[in-house]
Amino acid sequence: MTAPQIVWFRRDLRLADQPALCAAAAAGPVIPVFVLDDEGAGERRMGAASRWWLHHSLASLDAALGRHRSKMVLRRGRAEDVLARLAEQTGAASVHAIRHYEPWWQAAEEALAKTVDLQLHDGNYLLPPGAVTTGSGDPYKIYTPFAKAARQQLPARDPFDEPALANPDDWPDGDDLADWTLLPTRPDWATGFAKAWKVGESAAHERLDAFADQVSDYGEARNLPSQDGSSRLSPHLHFGEISPVQVWDRLSRHGGEGADTFRGELLWRDYAQNVICQFPRYPEESYRDYSSGLWRNPDRGHLIAEDLEAWQQGRTGYPIVDAGMRQLWVTGWMHNRVRMIAASFLVKHLLIDWRHGEQWFWDCLVDADYSNNGVNWQWISGTGVDSNMFSRIMAPLTQSEKFDAAGYIREWVPELADLSDEQIHDPEGMFRPAGYPEKIIGHKEARERALAAWREVK
């Protein structure tokens, strides 16, 4: 019988439009494998929220493989070592995988390629990183020219159908998913996750279909947190339950500003990966490094640590910020407009280093993505290769009114639910209910402090 082919799944947990799976299926019997490699990832091991999603996504993919009388083989350990042993044990001719660009995955791919026939395929992005370059052949650093050049190459291809799978004569042993304890035990902090999300490839396509029906309104609705105007595709895209090529193809049937705006956000995802390829440690190292005098870091005093904790817990006294941080804790996700407001508040109102926010989001987001998370935080902090100026300070109270966040605040800050639309954005004085905190710092005071710190380090 033809030698089996191993498919190494990572953030590509789908059967359709999965180039590595298609190539392996065309070459012989397929052994699907997922390796939980906390050792190789080191400090970038998946956060708690991502692990919750991973558990359910793997369970869903295993059930889908069951339609082919196939299954997912689960192993735990350093990926390159686990896969090399598995290839020897099964007599696999090749290991197929979709390319990943995070530093720890690049190191694993390089090491694995020394011991097995590793076949790498593109499939996590609209275009392979490095495909979009300037006239001189250099990678772009700024989003706008990157996106303009990328659009000229899109669509690069059509999505692939789900392949038929042949199975090996013998299956290697694998771990039991439950033994990985990816889910919380006691207390179970993820009860809100299950209410907010359906996980898996089928759920991703259901979500895309629902979003496509309302995408014409997306240009405006995406900024209104009280409306369900977001795509909510980000965790499905992050875990590869649906590919960006599939999303682009589906939305190509829809004209108008809304669909075009969302296509621009898919391109931002490609752009963020393009940045990581140029600067692999971007989520840890500022591109434009400021003097340590700018940040009030928590290790410099307990009052600063208390400010960070108040932000994490949604107890800043700014309802739009608190609503976002509480939504994040309960659902593992936050509305994109509110993400910008909450992130800006941390780095500019509180003058706390953006990396503390990036780490909190890494642990709490179900869509925590190495490139997107790092690029977005450096954009808001003004430290990035392409970023907002630090001196542009978002006013959370104004943003809350402008984008009609009253309903959103009532949902996530229930102690303010009885206030009127006029009062709820800034419940000062007699309108502030007992139990809701006073502002951690006034907006005017925070703005003046931030600008003074900026002038000093500039």
Side-chain angles (χ1 to χ4, degrees):
M1 185 176 181
T2 305
Q5 309 284 320
I6 290 174
V7 178
W8 177 21
F9 284 86
R10 286 174 284 179
R11 291 194 304 103
D12 36 43
L13 304 178
R14 62 184 182 274
L15 299 185
D17 201 47
Q18 222 289 14
L21 181 65
C22 289
V30 172
I31 302 175
V33 179
F34 186 93
V35 182
L36 183 63
D37 185 358
D38 289 334
E39 183 181 353
E43 293 182 357
R44 283 295 167 173
R45 69 193 294 270
M46 284 189 191
S50 293
R51 294 169 95 82
W52 177 91
W53 192 285
L54 175 64
H55 175 98
H56 294 290
S57 192
L58 286 172
S60 175
L61 183 57
D62 187 60
L65 285 166
R67 299 197 310 265
H68 299 267
R69 298 185 179 180
S70 180
K71 63 180 179 180
M72 180 66 72
V73 175
L74 302 178
R75 294 284 180 96
R76 191 169 193 167
R78 190 172 281 278
E80 58 267 34
D81 297 336
V82 170
L83 289 163
R85 288 195 300 270
L86 190 60
E88 182 178 9
Q89 173 191 348
T90 60
S94 302
V95 175
H96 295 262
I98 290 181
R99 282 187 180 87
H100 283 54
Y101 297 90
E102 294 82 356
W104 60 96
W105 287 132
Q106 294 232 301
E109 289 170 5
E110 183 178 346
L112 182 60
K114 295 177 180 178
T115 60
V116 305
D117 178 43
L118 178 61
Q119 300 291 322
L120 293 173
H121 309 267
D122 297 312
N124 270 2
Y125 299 94
L126 292 168
L127 294 165
V132 184
T133 58
T134 66
S136 60
D138 297 323
Y140 284 98
K141 292 184 172 65
I142 306 301
Y143 167 73
T144 300
F146 171 88
K148 183 178 180 180
R151 283 178 183 268
Q152 295 176 4
Q153 300 185 41
L154 292 170
R157 63 172 179 83
D158 294 328
F160 303 142
D161 292 332
E162 179 179 318
L165 301 180
N167 296 321
D169 290 336
D170 298 302
W171 283 98
D173 294 334
D175 296 344
D176 189 319
L177 181 60
D179 292 340
W180 283 2
T181 60
L182 297 172
L183 301 178
T185 52
R186 295 181 181 178
D188 183 359
W189 42 260
T191 55
F193 287 28
K195 296 176 182 178
W197 300 103
K198 292 173 65 178
V199 181
E201 185 173 6
S202 294
H205 284 275
E206 288 175 13
R207 185 59 219 164
L208 175 59
D209 288 342
F211 175 61
D213 289 341
Q214 62 186 37
V215 72
S216 60
D217 300 324
Y218 182 70
E220 179 180 355
R222 67 178 180 144
N223 284 314
L224 304 175
S226 296
Q227 296 185 18
D228 185 20
S230 297
S231 75
R232 293 183 180 263
L233 285 168
S234 55
H236 299 294
L237 281 163
H238 170 71
F239 281 95
E241 296 172 347
I242 195 168
S243 77
V245 171
Q246 289 173 309
V247 177
W248 188 280
D249 181 70
R250 179 72 171 81
L251 295 183
S252 66
R253 307 166 206 169
H254 299 265
E257 181 183 348
D260 194 58
T261 297
F262 190 77
R263 281 191 285 268
E265 294 179 356
L266 285 176
L267 284 166
W268 179 268
R269 185 175 176 274
D270 270 41
Y271 165 75
Q273 192 61 66
N274 174 70
V275 171
I276 294 302
C277 288
Q278 296 177 71
F279 311 106
R281 290 186 54 79
Y282 198 81
E284 286 99 23
E285 297 177 355
S286 292
Y287 179 79
R288 307 177 194 277
D289 200 16
Y290 296 140
S291 163
S292 60
L294 181 62
W295 305 123
R296 299 168 59 246
N297 280 332
D299 58 3
R300 293 167 57 186
H302 73 279
L303 292 178
I304 303 172
E306 288 178 359
D307 285 353
L308 175 60
E309 186 176 86
W311 177 81
Q312 292 170 337
Q313 295 179 353
R315 301 285 297 170
T316 68
Y318 285 78
I320 185 65
V321 175
D322 295 340
M325 299 307 293
R326 296 186 195 187
Q327 182 188 32
L328 172 63
W329 183 256
V330 172
T331 70
W333 183 87
M334 192 193 308
H335 186 278
N336 186 59
R337 168 59 58 175
V338 185
R339 289 192 201 198
M340 289 192 289
I341 297 169
S344 176
F345 187 89
L346 180 73
V347 298
K348 297 178 181 180
H349 280 67
L350 299 184
L351 283 179
I352 291 176
D353 192 325
W354 62 271
R355 281 162 281 221
H356 291 282
E358 194 275 341
Q359 281 297 311
W360 186 252
F361 276 23
W362 181 261
D363 195 45
C364 294
L365 283 169
V366 291
D367 61 7
D369 186 273
Y370 185 73
S371 57
N372 266 3
N373 204 28
V375 168
N376 290 344
W377 273 99
Q378 290 224 51
W379 186 88
I380 204 70
S381 69
T383 61
V385 59
D386 184 4
S387 61
N388 193 12
M389 293 177 62
F390 182 85
S391 55
R392 293 185 64 185
I393 299 172
M394 297 181 82
L397 304 177
T398 302
Q399 290 276 313
S400 184
E401 287 190 71
K402 179 180 179 180
F403 295 109
D404 192 22
Y408 179 76
I409 294 168
R410 287 193 181 92
E411 179 178 3
W412 296 109
V413 190
E415 58 265 47
L416 304 181
D418 293 335
L419 298 183
S420 68
D421 286 359
E422 292 73 24
Q423 299 162 352
I424 200 168
H425 304 288
D426 186 15
E428 283 289 277
M430 62 180 293
F431 298 120
R432 182 171 59 83
Y436 187 68
E438 296 182 8
K439 290 187 182 73
I440 197 169
I441 187 172
H443 172 63
K444 182 178 179 181
E445 177 189 354
R447 187 176 187 279
E448 291 174 351
R449 181 176 69 176
L451 292 176
W454 168 244
R455 286 192 295 268
E456 182 177 343
V457 301
K458 186 178 178 182

